[in-house]
Amino acid sequence: MFYRETGQFKTSYTADEAIFPIAQDRWFIFGVIAIAVFVVPFLIDDYGANAVLLPFLAYALAAIGLNILTGYCGQVSLGTGGFMAVGAYSTYKLVTAYPDLNLIVIVILSGLITAAVGVLFGLPSLRIKGFYLAVATLAAQFFLVWMFNKFDWFCNNCATGQITMPTVDMFGLQITGPGADPATRYLFCLGIVAVFALLAKNIVRGRIGREWMAIRDMDIAAEIIGIRPLQAKLSAFAVSSFYVGMAGSLYFGVWLSSAEPGEAFDINQSFLVLFMVIIGGLGSIMGSFLGAAFIVLMPLVLKNFMVDGLNIAVVTAKHVEITLMGVLIIFFLIVEPHGLARLWQIAKEKLRLWPFPH
Amino acid sequence: MDWLFFTEIVISGLMAGVMYSLVALGFVLIFKASGIFNFAQGVLALFAALALYDFLAPEGWFNQLFGFTLPVPLAILATAGVMVIVAWLIERLVLRHLVNQEGIILFMATIGLAYVLEGVGDILFGSDVKPLDIGIPQGAHDYLLDTYGLYIEKLEIFAAATAAVMVAVLAVFFQYTRIGRALRAVADDHQAALSVGISLRTIWVIVWAVAGFVALVAGIMWGSKSGVQFSLSLIALKALPVLILGGFTSVPGAIIGGLIIGVGEKLAEIYIGPFVGGAIENWFAYMLALAFLLFRPQGLFGEKIIERV
Amino acid sequence: MESAAQMSHGKKIGDIVLAVENISLSFGGVRALSDISFQVREHQVLSIIGPNGAGKSSMLNVINGFYHPQEGLITYRGVTRKQMKPHEAARQGIARTFQNIALFKGMSTLDNIMTGRNTIMKSGLLWQALRIGPALNEELAHRERVEQIIDFLEIEHIRKTPVGKLPYGLQKRVELGRALAAEPSMLLLDEPMAGMNIEEKQDMSRFILDVNNEFGTTIVLIEHDMGVVMDISDHVVVLDYGKKIGDGLPDEVRNNQDVIDAYLGVSHD
Ligand SMILES: Nc1ncnc2c1ncn2[C@@H]1O[C@H](COP(=O)(O)OP(=O)(O)O)[C@@H](O)[C@H]1O
Ligand SMILES: [Mg+2]
């Protein structure tokens, strides 16, 4: 009875163009943000931050990035792991070269560097489409990881390619490095993710977002009505990579604190983020969050259940986990190919009619 | 330039290329018949090799259950049987429920499938490296070595010959058998296939089973060379550039593309690798395919399509 | 040359805005257009008719730069070209609809029509991300214009519906809306009434004439229904097997023996 659109007449296009036109949605989002800001930091511990919240936030940002490219602009990319690596290594180089630079600036700069690299690897999209392009983006994945492994300039002449995040303070609070408070790390990531998610939402519902979707839905017609394919596709690659780069920056800088290119950024990362996007819902910013939460939580739940609940050996549990992960993904694709965002939508429809079914 | 050395590289490139072609062929078969970009093809090869190993090894489940191991030819047949069952299960449990979904959803489903096959393979057979010896000759080919001074692995020659036979068999199968023609028809037009009198589901099972056999052959070859292990599933990644080069639907494209990538990669490793620090085989094939596409976006054998509205 | 200002339907027909000269186009062995020339005048409604496969759609595709003819020139408002990209033609003020509906299926009616305004919208990525100031004002201003088009086409009720879910007739209307949103100076309509019932055809004819009268938009139209063609056109060009076999006022064309033969041979409507 409480979730109602009726009675909320929009008297201007301004109101109709608001980000959450329905009041209840607005309250819901404010509620979530309030809890995330005022409650969670007091409950958080190292486990909660490292196992759940930080990966969730970093991946959510990466998923938004990939969703912009794949869900909104229709260009499938399997290079997300490689682009996250660009963000991570940019952060490392910047932090070690300019220790006094504000961390937020560093994160954004890392995103910008990744955006440039993304545009470069997006160039083939002008000539090839669909799965051909998807395979082509693997070139980025393998080349970038190889590059970070091979040239030790990127890790300041280390021998292994491994990078470790130094301690960085902001406004007197330690955010990265050993001993940083989980609540501070969490709030830092939360702030960045919340702000940039909002900006992404704005972009996708404006002219540029519509151009991306037009290219996605029918590229020929899009060009005939005046959309320049070059600009539309490359801007999608740029914005997408910007987000993925920032995600890589948080992933390495705040969450993992140390990373090694072969492992932290391998092709499985690309798949993982793609799963988040698909399970969350292609073409939905909200879905990117839901998908990230799902993929981060699922292995944790499975593992807890098997190792602690059923006393299965850890190695076997790992194998069972991989299997179940595959099964769940297939199951999910069969049940709801439009993702959690669609389920969310349906739930809202139901709620709108409740308690009268028709 | 040392021509003998060069020839050696080219030949071994061709040999490796044939293996890529073999894996690419599995992709092409499935893509042609069902429009599915099957990412699980590599894991299918791993799974086949694991099953084969199990029928042969004293510590395998088969021996533990029945008290004896199979001779090589029977083991290969039994594994082929396993691949048919796997194909049937895939159709029954996955594909059937995903008809008419978009390509990317099907692609994701095959990644899920790859996880399942990998996980099940690990649970059943363990994840340690297993030596696969089915009596394929090893070492250098003496005649070539003595007469021409060429160092070529016997295993590679054997693999190339097998792959060539495999390709020929498939070509005959597609050209001259009823099922083969139905498979080709389904690639062009689903209705046409139905009029041949074979249901779409049966066709899918068959095509996945055939892709399973191709995977088995690939699994045997790569397994004999470097043991049965997880990395075997990564050969799929090596076959992907072949696909962009040759086209997702072209059998000759898969073969020629494989050879080009095989040779190009070996040459690059020797002549370019040293200048950039080596280990470029992971990405070079992709760059080669990409560079090629810039000049010929329709791939090796594709016709230039003029889109219409 | 006859006087630039012809009178027809009581409105002003102006100078030549589009000249098609000696256009030839083939696909492999298929010759879709051979040596076609004709002219379109400002504010005119020009119909291209002809049996299926005559090359009508190909002609529109040549005009808006999607197909590149092997021979011939196109002059639009004084700019002569042999080849150009479709988006450049769009930016010259040429908009169109398609024989097979080419809407953006995943987007709502409103978004589809808003997309039609992409050539007019200016604000950059940063402003749009912030969605304040110029970006927001621009978005709202364009939204208002789009709402006018929605009112004009009487599709208010499906504003937020994903177009993939709409019936065929409404989709055609949304497509017209998307083309109009660009505020084109020339509108190319490829069989806008195909598959419609009488009532829908009447609606669509009315919309087309209204656009022509109110905004002065020049219209090039492909249509099979001779009744409609005779009713709304100022000028008719007839194609058959890629050749031009008729070009004149509706009445002249109706009585042209070649045209009658072509139509009797193929039997249309
Ligand atoms: N993109 C294309 N590729 C190949 N042939 C084409 C293409 N577009 C049109 N044609 C051919 O050109 C001829 C004219 O087609 P079209 O312009 O669509 O005719 P109409 O619209 O008058 O029915 C037909 O024979 C058609 O098959
Ligand atoms: Mg036509």
Side-chain angles (χ1 to χ4, degrees), chain C residues 9 31 34 36 54 80 110 121 138 154 171 175 190 200 212 221 224 232 235 248 251 255 264:
Chain C
H9 291 276
R31 203 158 169 83
S34 10
I36 306 286
T80 301
L110 182 63
M121 295 177 81
E138 181 182 49
E154 296 158 21
Q171 290 200 13
E175 211 186 18
D190 196 344
E200 288 173 321
N212 181 241
L221 170 81
H224 280 304
I232 68 175
H235 200 94
D251 282 336
N255 300 320
L264 286 179

Side-chain angles (χ1 to χ4, degrees), chain A:
Chain A
M1 265 306 234
F2 302 105
Y3 188 75
R4 282 286 185 279
E5 202 178 344
T6 30
Q8 302 180 25
F9 293 111
K10 282 143 220 146
T11 46
S12 70
Y13 297 131
T14 320
D16 195 39
E17 297 268 328
I19 189 162
F20 297 110
I22 301 173
Q24 285 85 345
D25 280 355
R26 238 167 5 243
W27 288 116
F28 174 77
I29 291 293
F30 287 148
V32 169
I33 293 176
I35 293 173
V37 175
F38 298 111
V39 181
V40 174
F42 295 100
L43 305 175
I44 197 169
D45 56 7
D46 269 323
Y47 175 80
N50 287 328
V52 184
L53 289 167
L54 293 178
F56 163 69
L57 289 170
Y59 278 127
L61 203 57
I64 291 173
L66 185 60
N67 218 333
I68 284 172
L69 188 62
T70 302
Y72 285 95
C73 197
Q75 316 292 308
V76 181
S77 163
L78 299 175
T80 315
F83 294 127
M84 283 174 76
V86 176
Y89 277 81
S90 305
T91 298
Y92 178 71
K93 287 302 283 186
L94 286 168
V95 162
T96 47
Y98 309 100
D100 295 330
L101 209 57
N102 184 307
L103 195 58
I104 294 178
V105 176
I106 285 179
V107 172
I108 292 175
L109 282 177
S110 304
L112 289 176
I113 293 171
T114 315
V117 177
V119 169
L120 202 63
F121 281 99
L123 285 174
S125 71
L126 304 175
R127 301 214 60 174
I128 53 179
K129 295 178 183 175
F131 284 126
Y132 287 87
L133 178 66
V135 171
T137 57
L138 280 175
Q141 172 67 43
F142 293 124
F143 177 80
L144 291 169
V145 167
W146 171 84
M147 186 179 79
F148 292 124
N149 247 329
K150 210 76 217 170
F151 301 104
D152 41 18
W153 178 81
F154 290 108
C155 60
N156 292 344
N157 304 320
C158 69
T160 54
Q162 174 156 353
I163 46 175
T164 305
M165 187 72 180
T167 301
V168 179
D169 291 354
M170 209 174 77
F171 311 126
L173 292 167
Q174 186 193 346
I175 296 176
T176 68
D181 179 48
T184 328
R185 294 159 74 205
Y186 159 78
L187 281 173
F188 178 79
C189 289
L190 180 71
I192 289 186
V193 172
V195 167
F196 280 96
L198 180 73
L199 298 183
K201 180 81 192 166
N202 282 342
I203 294 175
V204 298
R205 62 205 186 101
R207 168 180 64 89
I208 293 174
R210 287 191 295 267
E211 293 190 5
W212 291 340
M213 291 188 276
I215 292 277
R216 170 195 71 189
D217 285 350
M218 197 162 213
D219 54 351
I220 302 174
E223 188 176 357
I224 288 177
I225 67 166
I227 292 167
R228 300 185 183 96
L230 177 90
Q231 287 188 355
K233 286 182 184 173
L234 290 188
S235 66
F237 267 97
V239 176
S240 162
S241 308
F242 174 72
Y243 277 83
V244 172
M246 288 197 302
S249 174
L250 297 183
Y251 173 86
F252 153 71
V254 188
W255 177 30
L256 293 178
S257 291
S258 80
E260 193 268 321
E263 267 168 38
F265 305 106
D266 72 351
I267 185 167
N268 283 316
Q269 290 298 317
S270 301
F271 288 142
L272 217 55
V273 180
L274 195 53
F275 278 137
M276 293 173 191
V277 169
I278 297 214
I279 286 182
L282 284 167
S284 162
I285 299 292
M286 175 64 135
S288 307
F289 282 96
L290 297 175
F294 187 82
I295 295 286
V296 167
L297 288 177
M298 188 170 65
L300 287 181
V301 173
L302 286 178
K303 190 167 159 224
N304 278 351
F305 179 67
M306 284 187 298
V307 176
D308 306 337
L310 301 176
N311 279 319
I312 297 173
V314 177
V315 187
T316 319
K318 186 76 205 159
H319 296 159
V320 175
E321 185 192 312
I322 294 174
T323 313
L324 284 179
M325 180 103 167
V327 170
L328 273 174
I329 285 164
I330 294 173
F331 175 78
F332 205 89
L333 292 174
I334 291 173
V335 176
E336 186 47 79
H338 298 288
L340 291 164
R342 173 64 62 89
L343 288 182
W344 173 252
Q345 210 66 37
I346 293 172
K348 285 206 305 193
E349 297 290 324
K350 289 257 158 66
L351 204 57
R352 184 172 299 172
L353 299 172
W354 187 85
F356 312 108
H358 294 293

Side-chain angles (χ1 to χ4, degrees), chain B residues 305-309, chain C residues 25-28 30-33 48-61 66-67 99 190-191 222 224 239 242:
Chain B
I305 335 162
I306 304 163
E307 285 169 299
R308 39 170 85 195
V309 278
Chain C
L25 170 77
S26 36
F27 300 100
V30 184
R31 203 158 169 83
L33 296 171
I48 302 179
I49 62 171
N52 276 326
K56 305 180 296 298
S57 299
S58 300
M59 191 64 240
L60 292 199
N61 283 335
F66 186 62
Y67 286 168
Q99 182 171 357
D190 196 344
E191 306 200 12
I222 296 177
H224 280 304
L239 298 184

Side-chain angles (χ1 to χ4, degrees), chain B residues 183-199:
Chain B
L183 288 182
R184 276 196 318 179
V186 80
D188 303 330
D189 177 2
H190 285 194
Q191 286 302 320
L194 295 181
S195 67
V196 185
I198 301 174
S199 85

Side-chain angles (χ1 to χ4, degrees), chain C:
Chain C
M1 205 176 124
E2 45 185 330
S3 87
Q6 266 178 333
M7 294 299 282
S8 165
H9 291 276
K11 80 187 163 201
K12 264 220 158 94
I13 304 268
D15 294 332
I16 294 170
V17 283
L18 173 74
V20 175
E21 288 168 86
N22 309 103
I23 292 289
S24 293
L25 170 77
S26 36
F27 300 100
V30 184
R31 203 158 169 83
L33 296 171
S34 10
D35 199 23
I36 306 286
S37 306
F38 63 89
Q39 289 147 3
V40 184
R41 289 171 177 278
E42 185 104 73
H43 310 313
Q44 212 171 31
V45 176
L46 180 139
S47 291
I48 302 179
I49 62 171
N52 276 326
K56 305 180 296 298
S57 299
S58 300
M59 191 64 240
L60 292 199
N61 283 335
V62 167
I63 294 175
N64 78 341
F66 186 62
Y67 286 168
H68 302 298
Q70 280 83 16
E71 278 159 52
L73 293 173
I74 303 270
T75 307
Y76 185 68
R77 294 189 187 277
V79 184
T80 301
R81 58 178 151 103
K82 190 164 162 52
Q83 287 209 349
M84 89 176 338
K85 297 239 166 72
H87 63 81
E88 292 166 339
R91 277 159 209 274
Q92 280 195 339
I94 302 178
R96 76 171 284 186
T97 67
F98 303 85
Q99 182 171 357
N100 303 309
I101 296 171
L103 285 171
F104 307 125
K105 293 250 158 22
M107 299 159 74
S108 66
T109 298
L110 182 63
D111 278 343
N112 264 279
I113 301 180
M114 283 294 276
T115 310
R117 295 189 75 77
N118 77 87
T119 47
I120 324 174
M121 295 177 81
K122 293 281 174 299
S123 72
L125 181 67
L126 269 183
W127 279 116
Q128 290 195 30
L130 297 170
R131 211 182 169 86
I132 49 170
L136 186 59
N137 293 338
E138 181 182 49
E139 184 84 9
L140 291 174
H142 285 276
R143 170 82 191 265
E144 220 164 304
R145 288 288 292 129
V146 164
E147 289 291 342
Q148 287 165 8
I149 292 168
I150 289 178
D151 283 349
F152 171 70
L153 294 173
E154 296 158 21
I155 45 177
E156 298 91 340
H157 56 295
I158 53 162
R159 201 187 259 122
K160 300 250 165 120
T161 317
V163 291
K165 290 186 179 159
L166 296 175
Y168 182 79
L170 282 178
Q171 290 200 13
K172 284 253 168 199
R173 229 187 265 188
V174 176
E175 211 186 18
L176 178 61
R178 186 181 67 187
L180 288 177
E183 298 181 8
S185 52
M186 174 175 282
L187 194 54
L188 312 176
L189 305 173
D190 196 344
E191 306 200 12
M193 289 167 242
M196 288 187 167
N197 61 31
I198 301 276
E199 203 177 325
E200 288 173 321
K201 278 187 184 178
Q202 279 171 352
D203 280 345
M204 191 51 99
S205 303
R206 183 163 52 83
F207 292 137
I208 293 172
L209 284 178
D210 282 354
V211 170
N212 181 241
N213 287 333
E214 282 180 30
F215 311 122
T217 313
T218 310
I219 290 173
V220 177
L221 170 81
I222 296 177
E223 184 47 52
H224 280 304
D225 186 326
M226 288 313 268
V228 173
V229 170
M230 294 301 147
D231 258 12
I232 68 175
S233 329
D234 302 308
H235 200 94
V236 179
V237 168
V238 194
L239 298 184
D240 189 27
Y241 289 113
K243 298 205 174 61
K244 188 173 88 170
I245 58 168
D247 185 347
L249 299 175
D251 282 336
E252 294 168 14
V253 166
R254 201 204 320 246
N255 300 320
N256 179 321
Q257 193 55 43
D258 286 345
V259 177
I260 295 170
D261 289 348
Y263 267 79
L264 286 179
V266 187
S267 100
H268 252 294
D269 299 320

Side-chain angles (χ1 to χ4, degrees), chain B residues 1-11 144-145 147-152 271:
Chain B
M1 189 150 168
D2 179 352
W3 284 105
L4 187 65
F5 182 55
F6 184 78
T7 317
E8 218 169 84
I9 296 167
V10 170
I11 293 182
L144 289 176
L145 189 60
T147 322
Y148 302 104
L150 284 174
Y151 183 91
I152 312 274
Y271 294 108

